[in-house]
Amino acid sequence: MRSGKVLIVEDQLNFRKGLVKMLQGGELGWQVVGEAGNGQDALGLLDELQPDLVLTDIRMPIMDGIEFVGHLRKNYPEMIVIILTGYKNFEYAQAAVRLGALDILIKPCTEDDVRQIMNKASERFYEKYSHQQKQLLQRQLQQDQELRAVLLDLPYEMSTLPGLNQALSGKELWLLHMNNEDMANRSNGKRDMSLLQFAFSNIVEELVKGAGLEARLLLVEHDTFLLVAGLHQVDETLQSSIPTASFEYLKIRTSIVSMGLAPSAIDLAQLYLLTKEAVSDPIKLPSLSGSEAGSGIMLSLNQARVREMEVQLMSAILVGQEDSLHVLLNRVIQELSLTSPEEMRLGALSLSIAMHGTIQKQFDPDDQNALTRLPNEMPQIHWTPKEVLDWAAEQVKQFLLQFNQWQASKSDNVVERAIKYIEEHYNEECRLTDVAAHIHLNPSYFSVVFKKTTGESFTRFVTRVRMDKAALLLRNTDMKIFEIACAIGFDEPNYFTNVFKQQFQMSPKEYRSSK
């Protein structure tokens, strides 16, 4: 899940630079993509930078914050906006809130004030991200139905062809066929088959992601999937690993055959039929009730359930709301208990895959095994509802146990290594992302661990180290103030002086005189 992008609009240079310093390391989950000194300059940056969040002052020259937000809302009605203001301008801030601002940040403000309001912005951003993913899913579901109808030579609207041609332009098609004899041995009708289809689709998607590909997987018939990928991207390794993993995890033999460069959508049915006939098994499954389109929609919804659950889990972790993890997972288990046996098995597997994916993406991003996010087993077809719920509860227990153990075992060690790195690089840019990369940790989670262990935010800790070094130089050398600022990693002497005053309640010059 990507970080949010923020644009800072503030005419007071020192305050603006302070916000940039605080946010640019990614500690609060935001990436500063631009800054401006007035609303007019900021308007020119919106289309270019496409920020998710705008922090803007009220009173600025040329174009003030009220006018700026008014213009912004015409083209970006849903953009998150936070207003910066002094107490004397509070009435202007109230007007800005009526224009849809999320909140107000009163100047002067502390680092904790900024953290709290940025956490609030993060929660809104994750809500919007989840909503956008749902909208994307709806559009994909619609196009999947259209593509499936064309492939199976079912009735479809001719108006859908231009959109399909655009989606398939320059793409290579691959047919994935699951052996019917193996499927017959593993399933007992359509309900059980849904579980196998879902498990197989996750295996393929994880292997595709592990290969670094952007590809699309579509269930066409009960035993056949279509993989839409870039030309020449599906290499021999991937062609081999998909059948291998399918048999290892599901005991189902699978064929993967190239259909070549995607033709015009109107010619897809003939190409699909010829390819399917070349790989079809002599053994056929009994006729199943319900349409193939219905099975495809259900599969897409199950895949979307995994993505949505991952967003919720990662949102709780990145914002530092550990308690909400327990609430979220307990609620999911409770909701599972109210579903049918088939939905319960699929829901339990979705939950498990989402938890495995969260562990891999957030806490072990260097793990190159694409299938580590799949559970060692999946709910069995013959299990009773109680056995499925017990399995799901055990998966949750293991997830929380692994999370807590990892947190406990890694925190002290990674923080010690981070502090050592800071001590060695404090005179450089020394961003949170740099330190997190050095210790092989997710930046957002590293921020939470660092503050929990040290009692200070990463930014505050680095600033204190730099100020302590500056004080040492002031006491023991005759270096000029701007030379000391440069030596400890500050580009602007005036900004260094302001920060020094905040820590020592006197200017660098006064500090040197007092010592």
Side-chain angles (χ1 to χ4, degrees), residues 465-484:
V465 169
R466 286 171 167 165
M467 293 304 102
D468 289 344
K469 301 296 183 183
L472 184 66
L473 293 173
L474 287 167
R475 289 196 305 267
N476 297 285
T477 74
D478 58 358
M479 293 172 64
K480 299 182 184 301
I481 302 300
F482 77 87
E483 292 175 332
I484 292 176

Side-chain angles (χ1 to χ4, degrees), residues 19 51 108 138 166 218-219 259 272-273 291 334 355 379 439 442-443 471 487 503:
L19 285 175
Q138 290 301 322
Q166 183 178 2
L218 171 72
L219 175 65
M259 298 170 64
Y272 174 76
L273 182 61
S291 67
Q334 178 64 32
M355 291 189 295
I439 59 178
N442 175 277
Q503 177 153 330

